[in-house]
Amino acid sequence: MSVRVRFAPSNTGHLHIGNARTALFNYLYARSEGGTFILRIEDTDRERSRDEFTDSIVEAMNWLGMSPDEGPVFQTDRMDLYRQKVDQLLEEGKAYRCYCTPEELEAQREQAIAEGRKPKYSGEWRDRTDHPEDAPYTVRIKMPLEGTITIDDMVQGEVTVDVDELDDFIILRSDGTPTYNFVVVVDDASMEISHVIRGDDHLNNTFRQVPVYHALGATPPTFGHLPLIDGLSKRAGSASVQDYRDDGYLSEALVNYMSRLGWSHGDQEIFTPEELTDLFGFDSVGRSPSNFDRDKLNWVNSEWMKRLPADEVARRWVPFLEDRGFSVDADDSLTAVAELMRDRAATLVELSEVSTYFFSDDFEYDEAAVEKWMKAQNRPAIENLIERLAALDEWTSDAVGSVYREVGDEFDLGLGNLAQPTRISLTGSTSSPSVFDLVATFDRDEAIERMQRGLQLLEQ
RNA sequence: GUCCCCUUCGUCUAGCCUGGUCCAGGACACUGGCCUUUCACGCCAGCGACACGGGUUCGAAUCCCGUAGGGGACGCCA
């Protein structure tokens, strides 16, 4: 039997990390089994569903590299199917009309809780035939009256619940719209979903849904209930996938990090998307909830900053630099900057921060550094250095390096006396990559100009 | 209240099914050191956990029972 899985978010908000992780596990399972990954939008919430959220979810999935094979399928397009199934169950006597009012139900619920009983519908209309004329009604499904229901969950193992815990829940509201627990089953059955992989907040629902499959004459799929992610506060992770993209995270890193929330493969931490689809399996999915940890995400991202080809980093970096008002192209010179700076930044945003001096000479000189390193007595050496750099045949790190060594030898100066003033002139501070690389990564005219301007700082 | 799920370093986790090789391994973070023209990277080291209590056993993180704590569900929301 071929594997067909679906990710079924409601379009009432952007795709956040918790849902993205659920989508990812569905996607990875489909890929690892050669199956089909389907996107279904649960858009039956008239009040809150919005098309723009659908677009946002699709965009986020594309960015993460897990575009669906089928869909999006919209539930609102399938209302006729749902009503038809309700009618069918009614005719077959597997469902019935209930004329209780919401007020009556609410009163019963409160009383049950007050008496310490489980709030459950009494089932009073299950066998009644004295249906009032013209009164509003809901349709309820008949749950089995005795026995237990057991599912063999891919994550949780065997879980059994006594049907005594279940009541005849509403499948069609008095306004004629179907309810969630009914609709998911109709959809999953009709779309021939083989594996339902979702958050374990749905585990209890599953026991309500299994009898619906049976009533519909369908075989329940295999279930896999993933533990939820804790600590998804505004700050920590309930932000949208796009927020992470805008914060400068790489999609590979976010996917890598999310995959490790609840899944592992020995001691391995870094996985390429290809490795993930090869190695993913429910045998290695844990049952306990995990926490979203920004520090670890940052580390994974910093690893990916180093692993991606430098020109790819440059390409993805461009919009971040443009946001800061720098007009750049993803050309060789930007690639050179990315190559030089990338292991000093955990995100593309940080990369911009640590690299601004390449794009603007409008920076402050670090006063303490100037005080310490810009000594007037080194002027002749630095001037000589600038001259020789200007005359260099080739503008490479090695060539620049030999100039520094020659000047250092001739003036009998330690390299620091040349390197630090160079750094201050080019960047404003004394922390930067190796000076030779730094100088060579700059456009030569720009480097010379800044060094000449830096000469002014030598005045005592 | 009732039912379901969960519980190894601060965090993510390996180990648990098939008890001994685990005085519990890796990673992030943190601390210290090394490298070095600065900073960063990198490398090395350190810190740090089997929720608790019973049992089974020669032996338990691993098996059983209980307790506590956390999460979820119980809707004419999804």
Side-chain angles (χ1 to χ4, degrees), chain A residues 17-18 21 227-233 236-238 244 257-263 288-297:
Chain A
I17 293 295
R21 195 274 234 116
L228 268 15
I229 301 172
D230 279 348
L232 248 36
S233 64
S238 69
Y244 286 88
Y257 179 70
M258 289 193 298
S259 75
R260 290 283 291 100
L261 255 22
W263 174 81
S288 52
S290 47
N291 274 74
F292 188 89
D293 181 16
R294 181 67 83 129
D295 284 336
K296 184 110 179 212
L297 203 216

Side-chain angles (χ1 to χ4, degrees), chain A residues 57-70:
Chain A
I57 289 166
V58 169
E59 179 196 57
M61 290 174 69
N62 289 340
W63 182 69
L64 290 170
M66 45 186 200
S67 308
D69 302 312
E70 290 180 17

Side-chain angles (χ1 to χ4, degrees), chain A residues 304-320:
Chain A
W304 275 100
M305 294 281 286
K306 292 169 203 156
R307 280 161 211 257
L308 249 30
D311 60 342
E312 180 62 20
V313 173
R315 200 177 66 72
R316 299 192 198 189
W317 190 17
V318 169
F320 291 88

Side-chain angles (χ1 to χ4, degrees), chain A residues 21 24-25 28 229 253-271 276 280 284-286 288-291 296 299-300:
Chain A
R21 195 274 234 116
L24 177 63
F25 280 29
L28 293 177
I229 301 172
L254 200 54
V255 165
N256 188 155
Y257 179 70
M258 289 193 298
S259 75
R260 290 283 291 100
L261 255 22
W263 174 81
S264 63
H265 181 70
D267 289 338
Q268 189 172 344
E269 298 285 353
I270 302 299
F271 297 87
L276 248 19
F280 183 81
S284 306
V285 172
S288 52
S290 47
N291 274 74
K296 184 110 179 212
W299 174 76
V300 172

Side-chain angles (χ1 to χ4, degrees), chain A residues 6 40 42 75 180-189 209:
Chain A
R6 78 334 187 250
R40 184 174 74 221
E42 317 241 303
Q75 291 187 320
Y180 170 78
N181 275 123
F182 180 68
V183 161
V184 258
V185 175
V186 172
D187 279 337
D188 287 335
Q209 292 168 196

Side-chain angles (χ1 to χ4, degrees), chain A residues 102-120:
Chain A
E103 293 72 30
E104 287 169 355
L105 262 15
E106 185 52 34
Q108 286 173 20
R109 201 181 346 266
E110 276 172 23
Q111 194 181 350
I113 291 171
E115 290 172 10
R117 287 181 293 114
K118 189 179 178 69
K120 258 181 70 173

